[in-house]
């Protein structure tokens, strides 16, 4: 349903939408869904920032990646389902609200997960979101006869994995991480199996998916904007280390601007040419999203270091920014540049990623990283656009 169409009634048949639908854009409900997920993302990024600042880097990183998977996977499954089956009727809206409620329960459990390894709150919130998706898939299977097998595999697969997530809470603590990794693989396999069902894959819309991922990337980058704002506020409030904090704030904003530019410089729609390509592209965004949000946490760590509130070295503080920026660059290169770009751009991204990792060993690492990203944007503009886009030229 486009934004210009009238909303449907209480319950309408959930038939597959056309993959070639004209003017397919994100709906107000999808935007509201994303906005509510900001709470969960912020709850995950904040303890990451504090753990790194206190020197608990390994614990903070592991907890962050585990929590972020739950946030990303629930968001991703809703996004792809909505691209194929959004009816915008009353039942669909209420079911989506249940998913949002689950996201808020998950967010409330993040603190316990980081502090004591208690994943009860996160698991309950996650299961609420996923079981709401089961209800959606059952509706789709009832109305879409051609893809009924696909919908049922999704519904059964998701249900079985949620039972395993709840069972995991009963396992000994030493099994927590291995069992988590096994269940992650199970979650990732459900779409792979379902999309190969005899009735054919779901009819997700390439332009809509690219737009939805772009909007969520913006939300993740907003964490870094918030961190830069905190740096400026801290400088004004304390009157200490003003020059250092202003430099971090300005460099942080430049980093965010450059990361935005590099992601959105080319349309991703042309990359989503098949189910396999879509899955690889969609799954790979876990690292882009997680890195974008973690970059904000890294800037906050650098602010703590400059104000003498962090119990880490300057190199570690620099790496709190450098590592997520490097991961972001590598996966933007893998997903957006390598598939369709020739010439210097194939080497520019990896080269800058390596230099970013070296920046913490020098003075003013955040400023250096910002400078490197500006240089990459310049190369992207000059050399990247001069080289024909293989996908666009083939259309």
């Amino acid at each position: 349903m486009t934004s210009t169409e009238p909303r449907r009634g209480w319950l309408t048949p959930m038939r597959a939408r056309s993959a070639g639908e004209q003017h397919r854009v994100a709906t107000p409900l999808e935007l509201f869904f994303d906005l509510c997920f900001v709470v969960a993302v912020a709850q995950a990024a904040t303890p990451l920032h504090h753990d790194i600042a206190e020197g608990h880097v390994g614990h903070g990183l592991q907890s962050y990646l585990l929590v972020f998977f739950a946030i990303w996977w629930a968001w991703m499954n809703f996004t792809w389902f909505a691209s194929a089956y959004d009816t915008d009727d009353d039942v669909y809206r209420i079911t989506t609200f249940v998913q949002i409620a689950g996201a808020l329960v998950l967010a409330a459990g993040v603190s316990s997960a980081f502090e004591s390894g208690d994943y009860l709150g996160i698991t309950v919130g996650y299961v609420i979101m996923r079981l709401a998706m089961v209800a959606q898939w059952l509706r789709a299977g009832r109305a879409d006869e051609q893809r009924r097998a696909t919908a049922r595999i999704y519904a059964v697969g998701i249900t079985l994995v949620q039972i395993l997530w709840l069972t995991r809470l009963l396992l000994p603590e030493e099994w927590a991480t291995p069992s988590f990794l096994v269940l992650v693989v199970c979650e990732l396999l459900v779409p792979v199996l379902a999309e190969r069902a005899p009735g054919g894959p779901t009819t997700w819309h390439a332009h809509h998916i690219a737009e939805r991922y772009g909007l969520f990337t913006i939300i993740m980058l907003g964490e870094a904007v918030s961190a830069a704002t905190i740096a400026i506020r801290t400088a004004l409030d304390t009157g200490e280390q003003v020059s250092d904090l202003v430099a971090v704030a300005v460099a942080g904003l430049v980093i965010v601007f450059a990361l935005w530019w590099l992601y959105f410089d080319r349309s991703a729609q042309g990359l989503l040419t098949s189910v396999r390509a879509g899955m690889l592209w969609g799954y790979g965004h876990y690292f882009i999203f997680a890195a974008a949000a973690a970059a904000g946490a890294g800037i906050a760590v650098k602010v703590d270091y400059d104000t003498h509130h962090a119990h880490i070295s300057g190199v570690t503080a620099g790496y709190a920014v450098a590592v997520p920026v490097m991961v972001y660059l590598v996966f933007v290169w893998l997903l957006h540049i390598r598939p369709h770009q020739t010439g210097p751009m194939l080497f520019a991204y990896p080269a800058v990623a390596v230099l970013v990792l070296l920046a913490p060993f020098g003075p003013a690492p955040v400023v250096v990283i910002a400078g490197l990203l500006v240089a990459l944007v310049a190369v992207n503009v000059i050399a990247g656009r001069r080289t024909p886009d293989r996908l666009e030229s083939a259309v």
Side-chain angles (χ1 to χ4, degrees), residues 290-352:
I299 293 172
V301 169
K302 189 64 171 67
V303 171
D304 283 354
Y305 176 79
D306 287 340
T307 54
H308 310 294
H309 292 130
H311 302 90
I312 53 175
S313 67
V315 172
T316 302
Y319 269 117
V321 180
V323 170
V325 169
M326 180 274 295
V327 172
Y328 185 98
L329 291 178
V330 168
F331 278 89
V332 168
W333 176 71
L334 285 172
L335 300 179
H336 285 189
I337 303 301
R338 276 192 75 250
H340 65 143
Q341 185 69 55
T342 60
M345 293 309 300
L346 282 179
F347 308 100
Y349 277 75
V352 171

Side-chain angles (χ1 to χ4, degrees), residues 221 224 251-252 254-256 258-259 262 287-288 290-296 298-299 318-333 349-350 352-357 359-360 365-366 368-374 376:
L221 291 173
V254 171
I255 288 171
V256 176
L259 296 179
L262 295 169
F287 299 97
I288 291 178
I299 293 172
Y319 269 117
V321 180
V323 170
V325 169
M326 180 274 295
V327 172
Y328 185 98
L329 291 178
V330 168
F331 278 89
V332 168
W333 176 71
Y349 277 75
V352 171
V354 171
L355 293 175
V356 164
L357 282 182
V366 179
V368 172
I369 291 171
L372 289 169
L373 292 180
V374 169
L376 181 59

Side-chain angles (χ1 to χ4, degrees), residues 28 32 65 74 84 87 102-104 119 146 221 229 231 252 265 272 280 285 288 300 307 311 317 327 329 352 385:
F32 182 53
L65 292 176
T87 58
L104 299 180
Y119 281 85
Q146 178 183 342
L221 291 173
T229 303
D265 199 48
L272 306 178
L280 290 174
H285 268 73
I288 291 178
T307 54
H311 302 90
V327 172
L329 291 178
V352 171
R385 294 179 185 172

Side-chain angles (χ1 to χ4, degrees), residues 356-391:
V356 164
L357 282 182
L358 296 176
F361 292 103
V366 179
V367 175
V368 172
I369 291 171
L372 289 169
L373 292 180
V374 169
L376 181 59
V377 170
V379 173
N380 195 64
V381 170
I382 297 170
R385 294 179 185 172
R386 188 184 301 160
T387 306
D389 187 311
R390 288 186 289 191
L391 284 180

Side-chain angles (χ1 to χ4, degrees), residues 4-41:
T4 59
E5 293 177 344
R7 190 172 70 84
R8 300 176 183 176
W10 169 252
L11 184 65
T12 58
M14 190 172 271
R15 298 189 178 94
R17 301 177 63 149
S18 171
E21 182 180 336
Q22 295 295 315
H23 310 297
R24 182 77 166 96
V25 295
T27 66
L29 181 60
E30 289 175 319
L31 299 178
F32 182 53
F33 185 85
D34 289 359
L35 180 62
C36 292
F37 264 68
V38 171
V39 178
V41 172

